[in-house]
Amino acid sequence: MLEQREWTDWQFTREDLRQTPSVHCGWTVEREELDRAKACSLIYSASRKLQLPQITSASACVYLHRFFMRHSLKEYHHYNIAATCLFFACKAEETLRKLDSFIPVIVYYASKGNRKAPPGTSEFEKWRMVILRTEVILLEALCFDMVVDHPYVFLIEALDRIRPTQQLSQMSWNFIADFLRLPLCLVYSPKAIAIAAISLATKVASTDMRKGLEDGSWMDRVGADSDSVSEIVQWLLDFYTREAQARSVSHAGADSASNEVAQTPASSPGSATSPMSSVIVAHQPSPSSEPK
């Protein structure tokens, strides 16, 4: 059975996402969604370089989405929180990394390779202070709840039940990473997200890849809520469109963006100005390997 523990402590509605602290501080829902996604892209990029299992990066993304239901993007820069969530997830998932190796990777990807922060430099110290100070605030925002039920667990069970092609299984696995860039994990269960990943894969896969799943009866075999699955898939597809539009605008103003100077974090760790210039991190495909 595709069972799951109660997850209602962190369950919200789409309407709740229109009333977040960031929205109350002037962010639009769309802008907040883009900032969250950029933060998760940073998490994925750094995770690959640090050779972290996908479960660690997934936990970091969930922590980030939960955090911004308690605090605003005006108060806490999304890159600061992305770095802190990933560093904390390394501890929670017992995949520890030292700050000496962790911070240079974060700085490299947050700046698109324009900055370096080897240990002993002022840039390294800025990030070290941001991460260590913000980690306490993160824990408080999470109510010290480090447990995350991941869609990957349910995906493995569902794939074992319906036996799709290897290519479609891999595509489903990769789609979950994109789902986690959005606050879907706050609205839908891990099981629904896992099944939505398979559903989306069947929609974009070639005929050969979706062999045996053409009629959609496989959803009955895994006990899918078809309405939730459709909503999740459409949410991601809509986001793809908005993200592409945002990138187009960003590229058009690349010259002015490259001249933006970031301020050093103030004594308050919640400074919404990152040690990095606020630039869009281009999304890169998630790691293709299964979590270790």
Side-chain angles (χ1 to χ4, degrees):
M1 293 291 292
L2 297 174
E3 301 291 346
Q4 63 191 65
R5 73 180 184 93
E6 289 295 325
W7 61 292
T8 50
D9 287 348
W10 290 104
Q11 184 177 6
F12 298 89
T13 65
R14 291 293 292 269
E15 182 58 32
D16 291 330
L17 293 176
R18 299 184 181 94
Q19 302 293 329
T20 63
S22 297
V23 171
H24 284 297
C25 287
W27 263 244
T28 64
V29 174
E30 293 76 17
R31 180 185 173 188
E32 178 174 8
E33 197 169 78
L34 283 168
D35 283 348
R36 288 180 185 234
K38 284 185 268 183
C40 290
S41 291
L42 173 58
I43 287 171
Y44 284 134
S45 295
S47 294
R48 282 195 299 276
K49 184 65 176 179
L50 292 165
Q51 298 183 331
L52 292 168
Q54 201 162 355
I55 286 295
T56 300
S57 55
S59 290
C61 290
V62 173
Y63 294 153
L64 182 138
H65 290 307
R66 291 177 178 179
F67 179 87
F68 282 119
M69 296 306 290
R70 311 287 193 201
H71 296 284
S72 75
L73 284 153
K74 181 178 181 180
E75 186 182 9
Y76 293 93
H77 194 282
H78 49 287
Y79 284 172
N80 291 1
I81 301 305
T84 305
C85 285
L86 182 57
F87 187 66
F88 179 68
C90 288
K91 298 178 182 179
E93 299 297 343
E94 300 182 347
T95 54
L96 298 178
R97 295 294 186 273
K98 294 182 178 180
L99 283 174
D100 283 2
S101 59
F102 182 87
I103 290 176
V105 171
I106 289 291
V107 172
Y108 178 85
Y109 285 107
S111 67
K112 291 187 175 180
N114 291 323
R115 296 191 188 181
K116 296 181 180 180
T121 63
S122 60
E123 191 76 15
F124 179 92
E125 186 61 21
K126 292 174 192 176
W127 279 94
R128 188 182 73 84
M129 295 304 296
V130 165
I131 291 171
L132 295 182
R133 289 174 175 173
T134 311
E135 190 174 39
V136 177
I137 299 169
L138 172 65
L139 269 171
E140 292 174 348
L142 297 178
C143 302
F144 296 87
D145 181 5
M146 299 176 288
V147 179
V148 176
D149 286 334
H150 289 291
Y152 297 110
V153 175
F154 301 98
L155 179 63
I156 291 171
E157 295 182 21
L159 293 175
D160 185 61
R161 184 169 298 183
I162 64 177
R163 302 286 182 176
T165 62
Q166 179 61 37
Q167 296 94 326
L168 191 138
S169 296
Q170 188 64 68
M171 189 179 294
S172 303
W173 191 273
N174 292 340
F175 272 130
I176 286 184
D178 264 3
F179 283 138
L180 290 177
R181 295 174 66 224
L182 303 175
L184 285 157
C185 59
L186 304 176
V187 179
Y188 300 98
S189 70
K191 175 184 174 181
I193 293 173
I195 296 173
I198 301 174
S199 177
L200 183 54
T202 62
K203 295 179 185 298
V204 301
S206 65
T207 302
D208 290 342
M209 289 172 61
R210 60 174 184 267
K211 184 178 180 181
L213 304 178
E214 296 89 348
D215 61 0
S217 62
W218 64 270
M219 294 187 68
D220 294 331
R221 282 181 270 161
V222 296
D225 178 344
S226 58
D227 289 339
S228 292
V229 169
S230 297
E231 290 169 5
I232 294 169
V233 169
Q234 191 59 51
W235 190 341
L236 180 61
L237 294 178
D238 290 343
F239 175 74
Y240 281 157
T241 300
R242 291 196 302 274
E243 186 179 40
Q245 293 170 345
R247 285 180 183 166
S248 177
V249 172
S250 176
H251 291 160
D255 290 340
S256 59
S258 65
N259 292 325
E260 180 182 350
V261 179
Q263 301 296 318
T264 301
S267 57
S268 168
S271 171
T273 303
S274 172
M276 269 323 130
S277 298
S278 181
V279 294
I280 292 180
V281 175
H283 172 58
Q284 301 177 26
S286 60
S288 59
S289 59
E290 295 189 356
K292 299 175 183 178

